[in-house]
Amino acid sequence: MDKATPKADLFKANLDRAAPLLAKLKDDGIGHMIDGQTVPSISGATFETRSPVDGSVLAKVARGNAEDIDRAATIAAEAFPAWRDMAATMRRKLLHRVADAIEARADDIAVLECIDTGQAHRFMAKAAIRAAENFRFFADKCTDARDGLNTPSEEHWNISTRVPIGPVGVITPWNTPFMLSTWKIAPALAAGCTVVHKPAEWSPVTADLLAQIVKEAGVPDGVLNTVHGFGEEAGKALTEHPAIKAIGFVGESATGSAIMAQGAPTLKRVHFELGGKNPVIVFDDANLDRALDAVVFMIYSLNGERCTSSSRLLIQQSIAEPFIEKLTARVKALKVGHPLDPATEIGPLIHERHLAKVCSYFDVARQDGAVIAVGGKTHDGPGGGHYVQPTLVTAANAKMRVAQEEVFGPFLTVIPFGDEKDAIAIANDVKYGLTGYVWTNDMGRALRVADALEAGMIWLNSENVRHLPTPFGGMKASGIGRDGGDYSFDFYMETKHVSLARGTHKIQRLGI
Ligand code: NAD
């Protein structure tokens, strides 16, 4: 379908593409993928996954528990030596094949992701392509994974190398689940680790598709295993399993704390990508048109269910009024609708419980004394699902709950500030530290603010544009560790030091 195709035709094409896939999903259900086989839970237990569009049951999903995790972890441990020792060039070839297969099925992945999560098609179409890019990028890094340093001393050559840590657990959330899981799984596989993946229980559909794609691409059985189920059952068991050497986790900060405690007895290495309450700071000398576009995009795209969303707008007092006026008009004009409709900018939220959480902040805002300038209600959308009006909260201050807590929806809190010092203090006055966005044409100020912000990633005069070699991760309650480029290998690999003597140094002689 090219750009000239009318939107109504594209909507119909998306619905037509989704229909047979959904029918098959309903018939087949979703099993675990363990050792290359689709299997039910040992207990036979299942749970239902429902569409956020209309609440209909999409599939019965195997509900894994500690027994299923044990099976998958044991298989991952058995598959590890051969995968570790496979020539890196062969691993590279296989991971490129996975990328090819994702690209070939990108349209299927996009429509299924939309129906399973409520995300708008305009974003999910790109998410599948980005997932393929993640595999390609790390496929090409397979041959560098073991690289180390030579740091010679007078009597020795000191060489470091890296070896894969072993079977690892990957636990992922429900926001952009396909793209996000590839971001963790691709580097783990490239490093030579085998994986047990526990996808989020609210979005199991495309995780199953990924497991199938990886198998069909020829990755040996047992290298990627997927166990579905709930966090407190399957997720917890994965973090406690002795064969699993590390946990790559993306999700809420409170869950990260729980995982750290659960993993302590087996000394798990952990990598956490957690919540955010990210500031976008707009100074009065900025290019305000570009800033406005970025402000709107970074909180209302992906339903605001995005860890890097700029959910706090810090606007300089001198320009607050005209900027908020333009912002208000843009938020009012956002199109809420069916996720497969290409015109849709905001789809239904993932789950009724999440809708209730987001809506609870309307009262919180009012009780705090802030003003709901736009939205503040559920939205009557097609299918009657979990739609919410995009919401803009003004007249807030930094101490209010709407300025402190992660809402994780299309919900923006506006906080005015006086000067640079004031902006930095407000920006840092939260428990999180994932991203920060700064808009100013004063280069010195941009650099000063970037230095002062307590966040793992800063964009100056830009929205979040991901470049895969760069470090991705947060400070404070937003995470531990970095993903991306070589940083991913620091997590999935052990650094080993090998010292070679020149044979000339004096060895102390005892017991003579
Ligand atoms: P969540 O923490 O509720 O769940 C994430 C995953 O953890 C799910 O698979 C869940 O089943 C599992 N889980 C839950 N309890 C567990 C336990 N005790 N032991 C092991 N696993 C357990 O998060 P969510 O609601 O699915 O996702 C939204 C959150 O993720 C937001 O806070 C968001 O900011 C964060 N997030 C962060 C990033 C990042 O890169 N920093 C990216 C995306 C999402």
Side-chain angles (χ1 to χ4, degrees), residues 172-174 198 201 231 249-252 255 262 273-274 307 406:
T172 48
W174 44 261
K198 208 300 282 171
E201 52 270 46
F249 169 74
V250 186
E252 285 189 13
T255 315
Q262 292 160 197
E273 286 174 7
L274 309 172
C307 57
E406 186 184 44

Side-chain angles (χ1 to χ4, degrees), residues 69-87:
I69 289 290
D70 182 50
R71 198 165 152 192
T74 305
I75 291 295
E78 283 169 16
F80 174 62
W83 183 247
R84 174 195 61 199
D85 296 339
M86 179 185 277

Side-chain angles (χ1 to χ4, degrees), residues 215-483:
K215 180 180 166 60
E216 284 159 21
V219 173
D221 291 347
V223 169
L224 172 64
N225 306 277
T226 304
V227 177
H228 296 276
F230 298 123
E232 346 32 287
E233 289 177 1
K236 182 167 181 286
L238 184 57
T239 62
E240 291 172 342
H241 200 285
I244 297 295
K245 301 300 172 206
I247 295 286
F249 169 74
V250 186
E252 285 189 13
S253 303
T255 315
S257 298
I259 289 176
M260 200 173 237
Q262 292 160 197
T266 49
L267 294 173
K268 288 280 182 297
R269 181 183 287 185
V270 292
H271 182 176
F272 290 162
E273 286 174 7
L274 309 172
K277 188 73 181 175
N278 310 301
V280 51
I281 306 174
V282 181
F283 287 97
D284 57 8
D285 66 341
N287 180 329
L288 296 178
D289 291 335
R290 285 176 71 79
L292 181 63
D293 286 343
V295 165
V296 173
F297 177 76
M298 277 313 302
I299 182 65
Y300 297 108
S301 61
L302 301 174
N303 292 351
E305 297 166 328
R306 165 178 207 163
C307 57
T308 53
S309 72
S310 53
S311 49
R312 292 183 293 155
L313 166 61
L314 276 51
I315 181 84
Q316 195 153 23
Q317 199 82 59
S318 48
I319 51 161
E321 208 182 304
F323 195 86
I324 293 171
E325 199 179 307
K326 284 186 185 153
L327 176 62
T328 302
R330 293 282 289 273
V331 181
K332 281 184 178 160
L334 288 166
K335 292 174 198 67
V336 183
H338 193 288
L340 292 182
D341 183 343
T344 293
E345 291 169 320
I346 299 181
L349 302 189
I350 179 88
H351 195 274
E352 60 192 355
R353 288 224 300 275
H354 189 57
L355 176 71
K357 177 192 159 179
V358 171
C359 291
S360 74
Y361 279 94
F362 303 149
D363 278 343
V364 170
R366 289 187 198 100
Q367 282 156 14
D368 276 354
V371 173
I372 297 186
V374 185
K377 291 195 180 84
T378 55
H379 175 90
D380 190 14
H386 315 136
Y387 296 93
V388 66
Q389 293 178 350
T391 296
L392 180 68
V393 170
T394 56
N397 69 50
K399 296 293 175 202
M400 292 179 180
R401 281 183 62 196
V402 288
Q404 291 285 329
E405 296 174 18
E406 186 184 44
V407 179
F408 218 55
F411 186 108
L412 176 61
T413 301
V414 184
I415 309 163
F417 68 88
D419 58 15
E420 185 180 317
K421 203 165 146 242
D422 196 17
I424 292 167
I426 297 170
N428 288 341
D429 186 19
V430 290
K431 68 175 181 174
Y432 298 107
L434 190 59
T435 64
Y437 307 89
V438 184
W439 287 86
T440 176
N441 275 328
D442 177 338
M443 180 62 88
R445 174 153 67 188
L447 296 178
R448 286 192 302 274
V449 177
D451 258 351
L453 286 182
E454 294 165 358
M457 296 170 281
I458 315 282
W459 275 270
L460 303 175
N461 295 326
S462 175
E463 79 285 27
N464 169 348
V465 179
R466 181 90 182 95
H467 181 50
L468 289 173
T470 60
F472 186 101
M475 295 181 182
K476 294 156 81 177
S478 289
I480 297 176
R482 296 292 179 269
D483 258 332

